[in-house]
Amino acid sequence: MRQIPMKHREEKQVKTVNMKHAAGKSKQLLAVILGGSLIFGMTGAGAYASGLKKGSSCGPEIIEGEEVETKKTEDAGKSSGSSVEETVYVIAEADGKPRKIIVSDWMKGGDGEDTYTQENLEKELPVDMAVSYKLDGKAVAAKDMAGKSGKLTMRFDYTNNQYEDVEIEGEVKRIYVPFVMVTGMILDNGHFANVEVSNGRVINDGDRTIVAGFAMPGLQESLELDKEKMELPGYLEVTADVTDFKLETTITLATTEVFAELDMDKTEAFDELDESMDKLTDAMGELTDGSLALYDGLTELLEKSGGLTDGIDRLASGASSLASGAGELKSGADDLKTGAGTLKSGAESLKSGTEALKSGASELKGGLGQLVDNNDAINGGAGQVFDSLLAAANSQIQAAGLSLPALTRDNYSQVLGGAIGSMDEGAVREQFRQGVEKAVREQQAANIVAQVTGGIQSSILDEALAQAGIPDQATYQTMLGNGDAAAQQIADAVAAKMGSGEIQALISQKTEETIQGIVGQQMQSPAVAEQIGKAVENAKNGAASLTALKGQLDSYNQFYQGLLTYTAGVASASDGAEQLVNGAGQLVDGAGQLTDGVYRLESGAGQLADGAGQLSDGADTLYTGIGQLQRGGGALTHGVEKLQDGAMQLSDGVEKFNEEGIEALVEAFDGEIKELRDRMKAVADAGKNYKSFKDSNGNKGESVRFIYKTEKIGED
């Protein structure tokens, strides 16, 4: 395969993509990939086909065979800026090989006239297209197809040569520019019947059949999707019964606009959720550390307050020392107030983060809900397509004169496999041999048994006559007719031996050998051999048709089963999103309660600081209030004990909340969808970056599209 790596600078470099959590608009790409084959219409193809007409946005009319020249239209397009739209016309032979490449540029003038330019280029295309033909399973060159008749298979293979090397999560990945190939053709019903297309739509208006299909070469590799689970279309195949084949042309549009319109950067809700989760994690760490520090400080305060109570009787002689201690108490209370403020800030961040989490979870639930709403329609449509394929297969089988059970989704593989096996050359010959043997047994078995029995009996009689000295059977018969005792004795002995098990087994053996010998002779006869040859040839053709039919049904069944798996996964994800929304709601409620508690803690810390200040100011009057201080000291100790218990509960609760709630929630957002979103973002960026065919870097222009036109086959 030819490779055309994209370069956005003169020096080759690896483009780095830094992303966090996978979310946002990825459901748009999944809808394009999984629903495209069911809902694909011909609107887009028709719009681009109309661009081939003179005066359209695709530029001036391209007439094959004329010299290309620069043209300018007098219809001046006034705008504030200028831009260039590029259309590349690929005039190809019937097998898809490019014969001429014409580039048409529409330069929209900023303050002047619009200008159209055309030129021929000899340059490697970003996507190669090869068209191959088969008739009745045998390859036929495009130049030899005219006038042929039979079962046609026409296949369009697309090779994506345009890619970027992108760094995703520390690894360099190859991302192909996401070209969507849309191929269309109009077939004359006088020459084409029973038309089918692998990835697209077929519309029959009675006189003509319009075929349109699509493929996305390179997308399977860009997304690294397992083909056993899901296979994206990389080629297009059209089958039909043709008579006197001729084909006017095929038109193929190659564009990146489908993916370029996927704005993967518009994920504000999820980006905010990601930032909130980071803040939430940091805030929970600070909250945990702060709650532990608060508990340790209150424990120390409790110990000191206990000492204060024990020594209150000595305060009378140490009032000056009390004044100093009161100052220290005030400083500590101020620190407690500051710590409570920090705790408040963390609690507010926690509340904001949980609210953002709930909002994002609700958006995720809504998006998945929309996908789930389409599950039944997607599955039903795919099932109807499957049933239609089976109905068409049953009709073909009946038309071929085969007697097979009706094909269903469950039995088609077994029924067709058995039928194909029965058409093996050995099986056909064995069926003929069984038929000949049956005829021999029905028509000649009685005579054969009589002849074999008579021969064996004659041999036994000859042996007995020789032992008795009787010269021949004629003499024996004369003696037996005259009532000779010796002759009668011989007759009885022969009859007894003929009735023995040994002789009866010998008769059966000789009879079977004689029958098989006759069957062998008849199988070698020219008439039977000719019938067998014709039957073998018919069986080979029938087996080939049934094998192709089974292959088509197997391919669709694989897609159908993958689709069922996908829709079941979407339903499961939607259920999980429902649980996430409920959990996020509980988290928001808990964060609100925590914030309210911290507010109260901050208020209490402020009051404690004010009280400590008052205690320091009133130390000079301690002599007159010793009794009050004793009572107040006991109350202080009791209050600090309660505060210590509450701080311990706060610390334990915050730690549990962090481990069981926040950490688990953060971990849950690191799922497999992250890498898929990164790849989808890289694919969308590659589509946006590729804007020009003429420019070697592919990015100097506003947009570019390719239109491939194949030459006709056959005369009018």
Side-chain angles (χ1 to χ4, degrees):
M1 181 184 297
R2 295 171 291 176
Q3 309 295 339
I4 310 177
M6 294 181 63
K7 300 178 181 178
H8 297 288
R9 298 179 182 177
E10 293 183 1
E11 180 181 356
K12 184 177 181 180
Q13 61 180 4
V14 175
K15 181 181 178 184
T16 302
V17 178
N18 294 319
M19 300 179 182
K20 290 185 178 181
H21 300 291
K25 304 299 183 182
S26 62
K27 60 185 180 182
Q28 296 177 354
L29 180 57
L30 291 177
V32 171
I33 295 173
L34 299 175
S37 61
L38 297 179
I39 64 174
F40 176 79
M42 307 228 304
T43 304
Y48 281 118
S50 68
L52 295 173
K53 299 178 181 178
K54 187 174 181 179
S56 70
S57 63
C58 292
E61 183 178 11
I62 300 297
I63 303 177
E64 184 178 350
E66 293 188 355
E67 293 296 326
V68 177
E69 58 178 314
T70 300
K71 301 179 182 179
K72 182 166 66 176
T73 179
E74 297 301 327
D75 297 329
K78 308 297 183 180
S79 60
S80 59
S82 63
S83 61
V84 177
E85 289 187 0
E86 185 177 291
T87 302
V88 181
Y89 298 89
V90 182
I91 309 302
E93 297 178 2
D95 61 0
K97 182 179 180 181
R99 183 156 46 85
K100 181 187 295 185
I101 299 176
I102 304 171
V103 180
S104 174
D105 286 338
W106 177 20
M107 183 176 294
K108 306 174 184 178
D111 298 314
E113 297 179 342
D114 287 4
T115 303
Y116 292 98
T117 62
Q118 301 172 11
E119 61 180 302
N120 290 334
L121 282 185
E122 292 185 1
K123 183 179 179 182
E124 187 173 29
L125 292 167
V127 180
D128 291 332
M129 181 179 76
V131 187
S132 59
Y133 303 83
K134 286 184 179 180
L135 272 179
D136 298 326
K138 297 181 180 180
V140 179
K143 61 183 179 62
D144 299 328
M145 278 298 299
K148 293 291 194 299
S149 300
K151 184 66 176 181
L152 168 70
T153 299
M154 184 177 181
R155 175 165 170 150
F156 293 77
D157 286 288
Y158 315 97
T159 301
N160 194 335
N161 305 313
Q162 200 79 24
Y163 63 84
E164 293 181 353
D165 289 329
V166 180
E167 183 175 315
I168 299 177
E169 296 297 317
E171 294 186 15
V172 177
K173 303 291 186 179
R174 177 159 293 179
I175 301 298
Y176 288 89
V177 173
F179 284 98
V180 176
M181 312 296 295
V182 182
T183 295
M185 64 192 77
I186 300 177
L187 306 177
D188 186 344
N189 288 355
H191 298 274
F192 292 83
N194 301 320
V195 181
E196 296 181 0
V197 62
S198 58
N199 318 306
R201 295 277 299 275
V202 174
I203 300 176
N204 190 329
D205 66 1
D207 296 324
R208 301 173 302 173
T209 297
I210 303 172
V211 180
F214 79 105
M216 296 173 284
L219 186 59
Q220 183 92 32
E221 293 76 9
S222 296
L223 300 182
E224 286 192 357
L225 293 177
D226 188 346
K227 286 190 176 182
E228 294 184 357
K229 298 180 179 178
M230 181 186 303
E231 184 170 1
L232 304 181
Y235 67 90
L236 181 69
E237 193 169 84
V238 178
T239 60
D241 295 326
V242 297
T243 303
D244 189 17
F245 179 88
K246 69 175 182 179
L247 180 66
E248 286 299 319
T249 187
T250 69
I251 299 294
T252 297
L253 166 70
T255 178
T256 63
E257 294 179 16
V258 174
F259 288 86
E261 292 176 359
L262 292 178
D263 193 349
M264 301 300 295
D265 293 324
K266 291 185 177 181
T267 56
E268 291 85 352
F270 285 90
D271 290 340
E272 292 175 2
L273 174 60
D274 184 56
E275 294 174 1
S276 299
M277 292 301 297
D278 291 341
K279 292 181 180 179
L280 186 60
T281 303
D282 296 340
M284 286 307 303
E286 295 177 2
L287 186 59
T288 301
D289 295 341
S291 63
L292 291 174
L294 174 63
Y295 175 74
D296 293 340
L298 289 175
T299 299
E300 181 179 358
L301 178 61
L302 178 61
E303 293 174 353
K304 290 183 178 180
S305 65
L308 177 63
T309 303
D310 295 338
I312 200 167
D313 291 337
R314 297 191 295 274
L315 288 179
S317 60
S320 60
S321 297
L322 177 60
S324 177
E328 294 179 0
L329 178 61
K330 182 179 183 299
S331 177
D334 289 339
D335 291 341
L336 177 61
K337 181 179 179 181
T338 300
T342 301
L343 185 63
K344 173 186 175 183
S345 177
E348 289 174 344
S349 297
L350 171 63
K351 182 178 180 181
S352 175
T354 55
E355 290 173 347
L357 171 63
K358 182 179 180 182
S359 175
S362 298
E363 184 176 344
L364 175 62
K365 175 189 173 185
L368 289 172
Q370 293 177 3
L371 290 179
V372 170
D373 292 341
N374 293 326
N375 278 358
D376 290 342
I378 292 175
N379 290 341
Q384 291 177 2
V385 172
F386 205 165
D387 292 339
S388 297
L389 291 175
L390 291 170
N394 285 323
S395 297
Q396 293 178 14
I397 291 172
Q398 291 177 1
L402 297 178
S403 178
L404 296 178
L407 302 184
T408 66
R409 301 180 195 175
D410 298 326
N411 74 351
Y412 82 87
S413 180
Q414 181 179 1
V415 171
L416 292 179
I420 292 169
S422 68
M423 293 180 178
D424 177 75
E425 180 176 352
V428 173
R429 291 184 178 276
E430 177 60 23
Q431 290 175 2
F432 261 86
R433 195 202 65 78
Q434 291 176 1
V436 171
E437 180 178 335
K438 180 180 179 182
V440 170
R441 291 186 184 277
E442 290 176 351
Q443 299 172 10
Q444 303 182 40
N447 292 334
I448 293 173
V449 171
Q451 292 174 3
V452 170
T453 302
I456 293 175
Q457 185 175 7
S458 179
S459 297
I460 294 174
L461 178 59
D462 286 343
E463 183 179 353
L465 293 177
Q467 291 177 355
I470 299 174
D472 51 43
Q473 291 190 16
T475 303
Y476 162 74
Q477 292 295 336
T478 300
M479 292 172 61
L480 186 63
N482 293 331
D484 186 82
Q488 185 60 47
Q489 186 177 3
I490 291 173
D492 293 341
V494 170
K497 191 168 184 178
M498 286 296 294
S500 66
E502 177 184 359
I503 297 302
Q504 291 299 314
L506 180 61
I507 292 172
S508 297
Q509 177 186 344
K510 294 296 184 180
T511 300
E512 188 63 27
E513 290 175 355
T514 303
I515 290 174
Q516 294 303 324
I518 295 173
V519 170
Q521 292 175 359
Q522 293 190 11
M523 287 290 289
Q524 297 298 323
S525 68
V528 174
E530 181 181 0
Q531 293 178 9
I532 292 175
K534 291 181 179 179
V536 168
E537 184 64 24
N538 292 335
K540 287 182 179 179
N541 294 334
S545 298
L546 291 181
T547 300
L549 177 61
K550 183 175 182 296
Q552 294 173 0
L553 293 176
D554 286 341
S555 298
Y556 189 82
N557 188 36
Q558 183 179 7
F559 161 77
Y560 180 65
Q561 296 301 325
L563 184 64
L564 294 180
T565 301
Y566 157 72
T567 53
V570 170
S572 177
S574 179
D575 294 340
E578 176 71 25
Q579 297 176 1
L580 178 61
V581 170
N582 295 335
Q586 297 175 359
L587 192 60
V588 169
D589 294 340
Q593 295 175 2
L594 177 62
T595 302
D596 293 341
V598 170
Y599 284 162
R600 292 194 294 270
L601 177 62
E602 181 187 35
S603 176
Q607 294 176 5
L608 179 60
D610 293 342
Q614 294 174 4
L615 178 62
S616 178
D617 294 340
D620 293 338
T621 62
L622 181 61
Y623 291 111
T624 59
I626 281 294
Q628 296 178 357
L629 181 60
Q630 288 175 324
R631 293 189 297 273
L636 175 63
T637 300
H638 182 67
V640 172
E641 287 176 347
K642 291 185 177 180
L643 186 59
Q644 183 200 36
D645 293 339
M648 186 62 203
Q649 294 175 2
L650 174 64
S651 176
D652 293 341
V654 167
E655 183 176 1
K656 182 177 181 181
F657 180 66
N658 185 40
E659 292 177 354
E660 297 182 0
I662 303 305
E663 291 180 359
L665 187 60
V666 172
E667 182 179 358
F669 272 80
D670 263 340
E672 294 181 357
I673 193 175
K674 183 178 187 299
E675 183 178 352
L676 177 59
R677 179 189 182 277
D678 291 352
R679 287 183 173 275
M680 289 164 53
K681 174 66 163 59
V683 168
D685 289 345
K688 296 173 184 176
N689 294 337
Y690 190 78
K691 300 178 180 179
S692 175
F693 174 62
K694 293 199 309 184
D695 173 49
S696 59
N697 291 329
N699 57 8
K700 291 184 179 179
E702 179 179 311
S703 66
V704 61
R705 64 177 66 97
F706 296 80
I707 298 176
Y708 299 69
K709 177 179 181 294
T710 61
E711 66 178 359
K712 68 179 180 180
I713 300 176
E715 297 297 328
D716 293 337

